Amino acid sequence: MGFDVLLKGSNMSRLLGGLGISLEISLISVVISIVLGVGVGMLMTVNNRAVKAVTRVYLEIVRIMPQMVLLFIVYFGATKAMGLNLSAEASAIIVFSFWGVAEMADLVRGSLLSIPVIQYESSKALGFSKLQTYIYIIIPQIVRRMIPLSINLITRMIKTTSLVMMIGIVEVLKVGQQIIEANRKSSPNAAFGVFATIFILYFLACWPISCLSKYLEKKWS
Amino acid sequence: MNFGVIAEYMPLYTEAFFLTIKIGWIGIAISFVLGIAVAFIMHFKIPVLSAISKAYIELFRNTPLLIQLFFLYFGLPKIGINISAEVCGALGLGLLGGSYMAETIRSGLDAVPKSQTESGKALGMKPLLIFKDIILPQAFATSVPGLLANIIFLLKETSVFSAISLMDLMFTAKDLIGLYYNTTECLVMLVIFYIIMLLPVSLIGSRVEKRVRYKMFGA
Amino acid sequence: MGEILTLKNVSKSFDDLVVLDNVDLSVNKGEVVVIIGPSGCGKSTLLRCINGLEDIQDGTISYEGDVGMVFQSYDLFPHKTILQNLTLAPVKVKKRNKAEVNKEALELLERVGLLSKKDNYPRQLSGGQKQRVAIVRALIMHPEVLLLDEITAALDPEMVREVLDVVLSLAKEGRTMIIVTHEMQFAKAVADRVVFIDGGSIVEEGTAKDIFENPRTDRLKRFLQTFSYEE
């Protein structure tokens, strides 16, 4: 069935190395998304028309543009339009963060608005500054709501890393294809075994994380 | 930007656009049928089938569509099952979507209070009739926002069809960039066609959501 | 007057917890039986068992015709109009003629003063109005026996009366009903027979006069005291 190919030479460790790159890209992007997303989300609660319009357009772009299209725009477009020579990895991280920041920001905005006005008012009455109110009162309340959803975002990012091979990053799927190519003669059925293995690898990478996310969501809701 | 180039590429893009839409919506239709069936099985906790459904949902929600498609398209022929790229695309999208639709519909079903089933029973209604006339319509109404989000998600996912050599929008853009290096024009057209494909769904989405609520509950 | 509903040695338990213990009860045609008792004594479970919503572990329940039930939380179907709520079951379950069912539904709505609400959705009605609709929804199935499970418990005080008036008028026209309630004044007014349940079994039963004015057991006396205030 073509699973034997994986036992040959360093094939399996190469696949795992590819998976490592996928995970690395998603983790870096998630960290950027959380940090910037919290900032942008707080900005979105500001009552300013221009800010509202810009963030709305931003959210709508992320909502309707496939990540693949964004990847192409950044990887091919930025290189050409701005003369930047972005590496494929950097392009991937930019796109994933662009997407992640929007999702996190929308989440932060939603959580912030769900906190009753009385909380802000009573903090003010106690003499907290605006910044102190956020740090001591508001943010601790929204963190619980956000953690499960940000964990969920990680799994979606890991899944989406499968796209980056389309712009030439050698991650797990690309390694898989290379292995299939290299062994075309000796094991013609490699495609089944290799793709089945990658399928399982992705599943093993994502499933525990989504279970954790579900668990925390239930526990904290 | 060179508008001559845009005019020249237009027919190719239009063709690719309709192919993408066709396979996308066939996939979405499959995902609805599959999603309702799986949600039904899990709601009634039908033995064996509901364990299979659970495994199916977890497997497809936790793996990327691209690898599902590769598996269907390149993997299955090796064990003697041959399907065309178009069938593969629609089927892959349908399988992925089915797992998302099932989750959404199931949580809608679970949100209908148990007392609704009981008052149906008290009126002598059979379980299937209760499901069809009382539970499903209410579950559907609460699921509408989720279902629309799924539709948008699935339409976006069509962008990976190019990987199995379906001549969709992505494939066309990539191909033309590779051949003639008119990167800007190609990317602009790509974006515009995706906007045409998704913006109406996204906008109608929020409208329909309100209207369905109104119709369902008269509030 | 013949017996229309008979319970013999009915026992019911949830796992280890015994909720009903050897209950015997028979109801005659046209009789209104009111069941009273402390919270958790098993009175609601008794109704649910009669209606088949709960399984029983022992004993037999037999009755003629259909049994209808009205719940504390009304449970109208929120996605259907008032009229549709009434016609759904008769048309789909009893396969009755739709025009005929419509006509009957409108007559019944008129009777409970809600004809003008026929095209509204449940959400647009007050609690008392919803409960009156729920009663009509049970009536239109032409049940031989009507079970009412604390139908005023979830209502605001000013709406209790409008619902109980409907029940009183049903009693006057000779409907067979089993009513679980905490409204003791109402129980006195409507009951042909009052049954006091405590700890899953029938402790005392008799006419409203017997039960409320001459309680024999300590348990019933104590229960009734919780409803009165020393002056």
Side-chain angles (χ1 to χ4, degrees):
Chain A
M1 296 257 279
F3 286 101
D4 50 321
V5 180
L6 294 162
L7 302 173
K8 272 194 226 159
S10 59
N11 282 351
M12 194 65 203
S13 66
R14 280 179 63 207
L15 265 190
L16 290 174
L19 185 67
I21 293 176
S22 305
L23 296 180
E24 191 186 309
I25 292 174
S26 19
L27 275 182
I28 295 174
S29 311
V30 165
V31 172
I32 297 175
S33 303
I34 291 176
V35 174
L36 292 183
V38 170
V40 175
M42 284 164 72
L43 192 69
M44 283 162 79
T45 58
V46 175
N47 237 338
N48 177 307
R49 276 206 169 167
V51 173
K52 279 204 167 140
V54 171
T55 48
R56 217 171 137 211
V57 171
Y58 172 36
L59 287 189
E60 194 64 20
I61 291 174
V62 173
R63 193 164 131 96
I64 69 171
M65 270 302 129
Q67 279 87 14
M68 186 89 118
V69 174
L70 297 175
L71 268 178
F72 265 50
I73 293 173
V74 172
Y75 187 62
F76 294 111
T79 322
K80 181 152 188 220
M82 299 179 226
L84 285 171
N85 215 344
L86 285 175
S87 75
E89 278 90 349
S91 310
I93 291 173
I94 290 172
V95 167
F96 281 28
S97 304
F98 182 75
W99 155 39
V101 169
E103 293 228 354
M104 288 308 297
D106 199 32
L107 233 72
V108 171
R109 186 192 58 93
S111 323
L112 281 175
L113 292 180
S114 72
I115 291 178
V117 183
I118 191 85
Q119 292 275 327
Y120 293 92
E121 289 172 350
S122 49
S123 325
K124 203 175 172 191
L126 287 168
F128 284 109
S129 74
K130 219 168 186 176
L131 186 67
Q132 284 174 322
T133 306
Y134 272 109
I135 292 175
Y136 298 115
I137 318 288
I138 309 302
I139 291 179
Q141 293 191 50
I142 65 173
V143 160
R144 278 196 163 197
R145 231 187 104 175
M146 292 192 23
I147 285 180
L149 295 157
S150 10
I151 294 175
N152 187 273
L153 184 64
I154 302 178
T155 65
R156 285 188 292 143
M157 287 202 169
I158 294 176
K159 284 189 286 174
T160 313
T161 54
S162 61
L163 302 184
V164 300
M165 68 131 222
M166 303 286 272
I167 58 166
I169 297 179
V170 185
E171 47 67 74
V172 56
L173 204 50
K174 191 84 184 176
V175 176
Q177 282 185 316
Q178 288 168 352
I179 294 174
I180 295 167
E181 288 290 314
N183 296 280
R184 181 161 276 171
K185 286 239 171 68
S186 59
S187 41
N189 288 333
F192 186 84
V194 171
F195 285 134
T197 308
I198 298 176
F199 186 83
I200 292 165
L201 282 181
Y202 265 112
F203 178 72
L204 291 179
C206 294
W207 190 55
I209 307 178
S210 34
C211 286
L212 176 69
S213 152
K214 250 186 215 164
Y215 168 76
L216 290 179
E217 207 169 332
K218 250 192 206 147
K219 194 177 155 197
W220 285 343
S221 66
Chain B
M1 200 163 344
N2 184 339
F3 287 97
V5 172
I6 291 185
E8 192 188 327
Y9 292 168
M10 195 51 99
L12 288 172
Y13 269 93
T14 326
E15 200 181 319
F17 173 73
F18 285 116
L19 182 75
T20 310
I21 283 199
K22 185 180 92 182
I23 300 180
W25 281 100
I26 293 176
I28 289 168
I30 296 174
S31 75
F32 261 102
V33 175
L34 199 57
I36 291 176
V38 170
F40 179 88
I41 287 169
M42 293 181 62
H43 181 71
F44 281 105
K45 301 195 174 68
I46 299 171
V48 187
L49 283 182
S50 97
I52 295 172
S53 302
K54 237 181 182 163
Y56 156 69
I57 288 178
E58 292 299 334
L59 267 181
F60 278 81
R61 281 182 70 102
N62 285 296
T63 50
L65 176 61
L66 189 55
I67 181 65
Q68 292 163 14
L69 288 180
F70 273 4
F71 188 69
L72 289 176
Y73 190 64
F74 298 112
L76 288 184
K78 304 296 179 194
I79 56 166
I81 303 167
N82 277 304
I83 48 175
S84 74
E86 289 196 14
V87 173
C88 178
L91 197 63
L93 197 67
L95 282 170
L96 172 76
S99 68
Y100 279 80
M101 298 294 184
E103 275 282 274
T104 310
I105 296 169
R106 193 185 56 96
S107 62
L109 289 174
D110 290 351
V112 179
K114 216 180 143 217
S115 57
Q116 286 284 311
T117 307
E118 289 186 342
S119 36
K121 263 190 212 165
L123 289 168
M125 296 167 74
K126 295 266 182 326
L128 264 179
L129 183 64
I130 293 176
F131 184 78
K132 180 172 91 46
D133 276 4
I134 294 176
I135 309 299
L136 199 58
Q138 292 182 54
F140 188 72
T142 40
S143 307
V144 164
L147 294 174
L148 285 165
N150 289 348
I151 289 177
I152 292 171
F153 162 73
L154 291 173
L155 284 176
K156 280 164 78 177
E157 287 285 301
T158 59
S159 62
V160 309
F161 284 165
S162 61
I164 52 166
S165 344
L166 259 173
M167 308 257 232
D168 73 335
L169 284 171
M170 266 336 277
F171 189 92
T172 306
K174 204 181 166 191
D175 211 30
L176 290 172
I177 292 175
L179 283 175
Y180 308 111
Y181 297 104
N182 290 317
T183 313
T184 316
E185 289 79 3
C186 285
L187 290 178
V188 167
M189 290 175 82
L190 179 66
V191 167
I192 289 174
F193 273 103
Y194 266 107
I195 290 177
I196 297 174
M197 186 154 107
L198 279 148
L199 194 60
V201 185
S202 175
L203 293 180
I204 292 169
S206 29
R207 278 266 169 90
V208 169
E209 187 183 325
K210 275 181 208 145
R211 190 169 306 170
V212 169
R213 282 246 169 90
Y214 178 79
K215 205 171 168 190
M216 287 307 192
F217 300 121
Chain C
M1 282 200 284
E3 270 179 28
I4 201 164
L5 174 87
T6 314
L7 279 73
K8 278 204 183 102
N9 304 321
V10 170
S11 292
K12 157 91 196 162
S13 49
F14 294 108
D15 296 323
D16 289 340
L17 183 73
V18 178
V19 193
L20 293 177
D21 188 12
N22 247 334
V23 173
D24 287 303
L25 180 71
S26 58
V27 178
N28 293 324
K29 192 169 173 59
E31 195 180 16
V32 177
V33 175
V34 171
I35 301 178
I36 58 171
S39 298
C41 69
K43 49 195 193 310
S44 284
T45 309
L46 182 66
L47 291 196
R48 293 169 62 86
C49 288
I50 295 174
N51 201 21
L53 288 173
E54 305 280 353
D55 298 328
I56 52 173
Q57 269 79 47
D58 206 4
T60 54
I61 297 174
S62 54
Y63 50 81
E64 286 166 28
D66 283 337
V67 170
M69 180 151 176
V70 182
F71 300 86
Q72 176 180 330
S73 48
Y74 1 107
D75 300 300
L76 298 180
F77 306 130
H79 59 303
K80 302 213 176 272
T81 63
I82 298 310
L83 189 59
Q84 287 166 345
N85 259 282
L86 302 182
T87 55
L88 181 69
V91 172
K92 299 252 179 169
V93 177
K94 297 223 154 158
K95 313 284 179 208
R96 286 172 55 195
N97 177 287
K98 183 143 193 200
E100 175 202 312
V101 173
N102 258 330
K103 190 167 159 273
E104 187 182 350
L106 295 177
E107 283 166 12
L108 284 167
L109 278 178
E110 165 114 68
R111 197 182 137 182
V112 298
L114 290 173
L115 188 56
S116 61
K117 303 285 182 192
K118 68 182 169 60
D119 294 319
N120 288 51
Y121 284 87
R123 220 171 245 195
Q124 297 163 307
L125 270 59
S126 72
Q129 292 171 329
K130 277 190 262 200
Q131 196 57 289
R132 282 183 274 160
V133 173
I135 294 171
V136 171
R137 186 175 68 174
L139 285 180
I140 201 169
M141 295 299 282
H142 305 152
E144 285 295 329
V145 183
L146 193 56
L147 311 175
L148 307 180
D149 187 9
E150 305 205 32
I151 57 166
T152 58
L155 296 179
D156 289 335
E158 72 270 23
M159 293 173 180
V160 169
R161 186 69 202 224
E162 66 189 49
V163 172
L164 295 184
D165 280 345
V166 171
V167 180
L168 278 169
S169 77
L170 292 177
K172 272 198 202 111
E173 69 182 38
R175 292 253 171 204
T176 316
M177 292 189 278
I178 305 180
I179 302 172
V180 166
T181 185
H182 279 114
E183 304 281 339
M184 294 303 149
Q185 293 304 321
F186 168 66
K188 271 181 214 170
V190 78
D192 294 317
R193 180 153 52 111
V194 177
V195 173
F196 172 60
I197 294 187
D198 193 10
S201 41
I202 296 178
V203 177
E204 227 179 298
E205 62 181 302
T207 62
K209 208 170 154 124
D210 291 342
I211 292 290
F212 292 109
E213 285 164 28
N214 303 305
R216 281 169 285 130
T217 59
D218 285 343
R219 280 155 93 181
L220 179 54
K221 280 178 197 157
R222 242 180 293 131
F223 174 71
L224 291 174
Q225 266 165 16
T226 59
F227 290 91
S228 61
Y229 296 91
E230 303 287 332
E231 286 182 28

